[in-house]
């Protein structure tokens, strides 16, 4: 645990003594339901997950989801609530001595089942009816639909951004600052939006961005997303912090792709009808052994075409709305947690514990990451032309210009501006690696702006999470259809028959160009 995070003096949550723990481990087979159920306080909190009992007392204070939500599971079988949010892989972040032992089936059956999970935190603001899916016509419509039916805490997790939201607002408005220059008298009866991403054919030059914990939106979680991707032939970037395990995700994806292949008319090649592909997003944890294991597991699934290393999360950004909710939750749970609420209010707790992230990563770490993966590597979260140029020099296969959806540095540049900066100062980068963009794209036609300026593809995040949360897999499929329909219509309206015709003259980016960084004269 990071010493900066452990703020002594704010709150001391009692820790079961080591001797007591050792005794309990020896008594493993004697852990009774009654005994477990009695540990549900701030001074001793036990939970059962998949038939195994854990003492989470010392972790209450460290849990990035807050102490209150864990405390509510105290003394119960929390498996169901836990699996709505976390994959079992997350248990590696528990202190080693937290494991108490397995419990037998009879004890497990006798335990109270927790129902006080994340759904119980904040009802949807006004419980409205979910609009019929046919009334969802633009990607932004999913946001309101999701808000109507989602618990406030889960909705906030998706919606929230850093500090006062300035980077998120910048992302959203940047796309409108670039205008098309539509050309006339081209036969656009049919247009061809096919592209490729890191050497794999792609039906469209967009993909679904990496988002963690998608089970918080809908029980279908990441499985619903990858099935929808496989059905529609679209690429997706899968987070390393998922609700389902990466093996479950890979199996569902392969299964849906097989079904799709059987339906596809014989004789059509991969180039003619591109299949969906998955890529793996990697948060590099501070423990290298865990990172290596993660890379090896991703490779073993056989479904991931590349690894995208997230580089904009040395530490976690200040997610204001989540922190307010976490503090309110702690205050409402028990007076004992008020000190914890103070801590959450300062924002020391948030989505990731420090062991999940690694503030000491440097360019040198790329060597072992590339070696372990052995395939294409992309840096996710590049925000300056200089860093893009350095990545190109080091032989990285791609950079994703991104400010993490405005969730990290709140006054960070939007991706289009960074792309223009690269075009201005290091144009050769465009020939050396593939450039991807994400952040605030809410219109399929906007994807054409980025492609015209030299990007390979655009990632889209929140609209897909909202779509999943409101309508499950069906919502993700509809969101993919909306994006692809807008893209194709956009190509027709600007007179672009295929993506080879995309070039800088297709857009007027003068307004954003005015805003790009300029070196001070004395530094030239
Ligand atoms: C006991 C083992 C647990 C561990 C090691 C653990 C660990 C973590 C970690 C590392 C995060 C950061 C986000 C992520 O990477 O996914 C997190 C977030 C979260 N956890 Fe847990 N967790 C545990 C149990 C639970 C349980 C039992 C619940 C509730 C049923 C829960 C609810 C949450 C929520 C709601 C968040 C997100 C908070 C937010 O950002 O809004 N966790 N947890
Ligand atoms: C709810 C949510 C969870 C996210 N989780 C991750 C993650 O696990 N890993 C990661 O690299 N980026 C993550 N991101 C950032 C996205 O990959 C992407 O950069 C961003 O969402 C793009 O902006 P947009 O949502 O405006 O389209 C997350 C974003 C959101 C909204």
């Amino acid at each position: 645990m990071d010493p900066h995070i452990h703020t002594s003096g704010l709150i001391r949550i009692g820790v079961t003594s080591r001797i007591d723990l050792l005794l309990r481990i020896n008594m493993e087979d004697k852990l009774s339901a009654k005994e477990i159920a009695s540990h549900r306080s701030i001074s001793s909190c036990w939970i059962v997950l998949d038939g195994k009992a854990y003492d989470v007392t010392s972790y209450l204070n460290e849990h990035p989801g807050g102490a209150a939500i864990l405390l509510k599971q105290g003394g119960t079988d929390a498996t169901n609530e836990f699996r709505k949010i976390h994959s079992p892989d997350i248990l590696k972040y528990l202190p080693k001595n937290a494991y108490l032992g397995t419990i037998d089936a009879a004890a497990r059956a006798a335990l109270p089942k927790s129902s006080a999970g994340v759904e119980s935190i904040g009802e949807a603001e006004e419980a409205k009816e979910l609009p019929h899916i046919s009334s969802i016509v633009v990607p932004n419509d999913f946001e309101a639909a999701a808000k109507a039916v989602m618990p406030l805490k889960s909705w906030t997790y998706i919606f929230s951004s850093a500090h006062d939201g300035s980077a998120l607002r910048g992302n959203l408005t940047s796309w409108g600052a670039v205008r098309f220059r539509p050309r006339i008298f081209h036969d656009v009866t049919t247009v061809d939006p096919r592209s490729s991403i890191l050497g794999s054919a792609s039906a469209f030059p967009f993909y679904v961005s990496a988002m963690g914990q998608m089970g918080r939106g809908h029980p279908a979680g990441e499985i619903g997303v990858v099935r929808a991707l496989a059905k529609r032939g679209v690429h997706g970037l899968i987070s390393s912090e998922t609700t389902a395990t990466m093996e479950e995700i890979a199996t569902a994806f392969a299964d849906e792709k097989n079904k799709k292949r059987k339906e596809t008319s014989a004789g059509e090649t991969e180039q003619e009808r591109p299949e969906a592909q998955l890529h793996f997003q990697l948060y590099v944890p501070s423990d290298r052994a865990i990172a290596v294991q993660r890379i090896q597991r991703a490779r073993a699934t056989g479904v991931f075409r590349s690894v995208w290393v997230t580089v904009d999360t040395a530490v976690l950004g200040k997610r204001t709305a989540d922190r307010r909710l976490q503090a309110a939750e702690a205050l409402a749970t028990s007076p004992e947690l008020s000190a914890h609420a103070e801590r959450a209010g300062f924002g020391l707790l948030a989505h990731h514990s420090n062991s999940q992230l690694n503030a000491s990563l440097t360019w040198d770490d790329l060597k072992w990451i590339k070696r372990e993966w052995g395939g294409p590597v992309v840096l996710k979260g590049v925000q300056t032309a200089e860093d893009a140029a350095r990545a190109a020099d080091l032989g990285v296969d791609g950079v994703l210009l991104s400010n993490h959806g405005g969730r990290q540095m709140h006054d960070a540049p939007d991706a289009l501006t960074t792309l223009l900066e690269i075009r201005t100062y290091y144009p050769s980068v465009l020939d050396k690696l593939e450039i991807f963009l994400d952040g605030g794209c809410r219109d399929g036609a906007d994807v054409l702006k980025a492609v015209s300026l030299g990007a390979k593809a655009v990632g889209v995040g929140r609209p897909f999470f909202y779509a999943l949360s409101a309508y499950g897999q069906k919502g993700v499929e509809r969101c993919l259809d909306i994006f692809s329909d807008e893209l194709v219509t956009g190509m027709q309206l600007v007179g672009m028959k295929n993506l080879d015709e995309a070039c800088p003259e297709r857009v007027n980016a003068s307004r954003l160009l005015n805003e790009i960084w300029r070196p001070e004269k004395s530094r030239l």
Side-chain angles (χ1 to χ4, degrees):
M1 188 200 57
D2 190 296
H4 301 293
I5 292 287
H6 192 81
T7 333
S8 57
L10 281 177
I11 179 171
R12 292 211 51 82
I13 291 175
V15 182
T16 315
S17 80
R18 258 205 89 66
I19 296 169
D20 187 27
L21 262 178
L22 289 171
L23 278 173
R24 299 224 176 277
I25 292 165
N26 291 336
M27 297 171 18
E28 188 168 309
D29 52 351
K30 290 192 185 143
L31 283 177
S32 69
K34 198 171 161 209
E35 181 169 18
I36 291 168
S38 69
H39 292 263
R40 48 200 296 271
S41 75
I42 201 162
S43 52
S44 185
C45 181
W46 292 7
I47 60 171
V48 169
L49 301 170
D50 288 319
K52 292 178 177 148
Y54 298 90
D55 180 343
V56 293
T57 318
S58 69
Y59 192 64
L60 286 175
N61 217 10
E62 307 306 322
H63 181 225
I69 191 157
L70 263 191
L71 197 57
K72 283 181 194 162
Q73 318 297 321
T76 72
D77 184 344
T79 312
N80 288 344
E81 293 308 313
F82 176 80
R83 287 298 273 127
K84 284 178 192 166
I85 297 160
H86 292 307
S87 106
D89 298 335
I90 204 99
L91 290 172
K92 60 178 169 282
Y93 297 115
L94 272 185
K96 296 257 176 310
N97 59 4
Y99 176 60
L100 294 170
T102 50
I103 63 164
D104 62 29
R108 197 177 170 187
L111 268 179
K113 305 267 175 301
S114 167
S115 57
V118 73
E119 278 83 1
S120 64
I121 306 155
E123 297 300 317
E125 263 182 355
E126 294 163 50
K128 292 187 205 131
E129 238 178 69
L130 187 64
H132 191 273
I133 196 162
S134 59
S135 63
I136 303 289
V137 292
V138 292
N140 265 342
D141 288 344
F142 286 109
E143 184 180 318
K147 190 170 188 189
V149 294
M150 285 183 82
L152 181 62
K153 189 169 163 90
S154 303
W155 186 83
T156 305
Y157 162 62
I158 307 172
F159 177 81
S160 77
S161 58
H163 213 271
D164 64 347
S166 61
L168 174 60
R169 280 195 303 280
N171 290 352
L172 291 166
T173 53
S174 62
W175 296 92
V178 176
R179 294 279 163 183
F180 284 111
R181 301 183 67 239
R183 302 308 299 267
I184 58 167
F185 285 147
H186 288 272
D187 179 356
V188 285
T189 319
T190 56
V191 296
D192 181 0
R194 284 174 303 174
S195 174
S196 72
I197 295 179
L198 300 164
S200 299
S202 167
F204 306 104
F206 65 80
Y207 62 89
V208 175
S209 293
M211 286 172 289
Q213 301 179 356
M214 294 194 91
R216 289 181 71 176
H218 190 277
E222 295 87 10
I223 306 289
V225 174
V226 297
R227 285 194 181 276
L229 290 171
K231 280 176 98 166
R232 294 296 189 266
V234 177
H235 287 225
L237 181 58
I238 301 302
S239 165
S240 49
E241 299 297 348
T242 43
T243 307
T245 63
M246 69 170 94
E247 290 78 11
E248 288 165 344
I249 295 168
T251 306
F253 180 67
D255 173 58
E256 199 64 53
K257 259 176 103 165
N258 279 337
K259 282 193 210 153
K260 167 103 175 177
R261 275 187 202 132
K262 285 183 193 142
E263 287 164 15
T264 309
S265 50
E268 264 188 308
T269 66
E270 167 68 18
Q271 285 310 317
E272 285 164 346
R273 191 174 176 133
E275 288 192 321
Q277 302 294 348
L278 295 185
H279 307 268
F280 184 67
Q281 174 267 324
L282 177 73
Y283 280 127
V284 184
S286 47
D287 182 340
R288 180 168 326 171
I290 296 181
V292 169
Q293 193 198 40
R294 212 172 252 187
I295 295 172
Q296 287 169 350
R297 270 177 69 187
R299 201 177 45 223
T301 65
V303 302
F304 295 110
R305 295 277 153 260
S306 61
V307 158
W308 298 39
V309 184
T310 298
V311 292
D312 56 14
T313 41
V315 295
L316 202 93
K318 183 169 179 170
R319 314 261 164 97
T320 319
D322 302 84
R323 287 172 182 184
R324 289 197 178 116
L325 269 186
Q326 220 178 76
E329 188 189 351
L331 283 172
T333 304
S334 100
E336 290 167 291
L337 282 180
S338 59
H340 184 274
E342 264 180 57
R343 188 176 171 196
F346 278 121
L348 291 174
L349 298 177
H351 295 295
H352 294 81
S353 61
N354 263 26
S355 54
Q356 282 180 286
L357 301 175
N358 186 345
S360 67
L361 277 189
T362 68
W363 288 96
D364 283 344
D365 289 291
L366 270 180
K367 288 188 202 123
W368 64 263
I369 295 172
K370 283 173 78 171
R371 196 175 55 238
E372 288 299 336
W373 172 247
V377 170
V378 174
L379 300 187
K380 176 180 187 292
V382 169
Q383 299 172 69
T384 59
E386 294 95 308
D387 282 346
R390 182 149 187 195
D393 288 345
L394 290 175
V396 168
D397 301 273
V399 289
L400 166 52
L401 311 181
S402 166
N403 59 27
H404 215 103
R407 293 158 81 84
Q408 287 295 106
M409 183 65 236
H410 51 281
D411 276 337
D414 61 82
L416 279 167
T417 302
T418 309
L419 177 58
L420 293 175
E421 210 176 274
I422 294 171
R423 293 190 68 81
T424 306
Y425 300 114
Y426 296 96
S428 63
V429 167
L430 284 123
D431 304 320
K432 291 188 187 158
L433 45 65
E434 297 196 355
I435 298 193
F436 306 95
L437 265 70
D438 81 18
C441 183
R442 304 291 181 263
D443 174 353
D446 278 346
V447 170
L448 294 172
K449 297 176 180 171
V451 176
S452 296
L453 290 167
K456 205 67 181 159
V458 174
V460 182
R462 292 180 183 83
F464 286 102
F465 208 150
Y466 291 134
L468 173 81
S469 307
Y471 302 100
Q473 180 181 329
K474 203 166 70 161
V476 181
E477 288 169 20
R478 186 162 180 93
C479 196
L480 290 169
D481 291 343
I482 291 174
F483 262 95
S484 45
D485 176 60
E486 288 175 347
L487 174 79
V488 166
T489 308
M491 289 177 77
Q492 292 173 307
L493 291 176
V494 301
M496 197 187 283
K497 287 156 92 74
N498 58 56
L499 298 181
D500 290 338
E501 293 182 1
C503 57
E505 291 71 32
R506 293 278 183 181
V507 293
N508 175 359
S510 304
R511 270 162 69 193
L512 279 190
L513 259 176
N514 270 338
E515 288 181 19
I516 65 166
W517 168 80
R518 286 181 191 81
E520 289 172 28
K521 283 208 178 86
S522 61
R523 311 278 290 168
L524 281 171

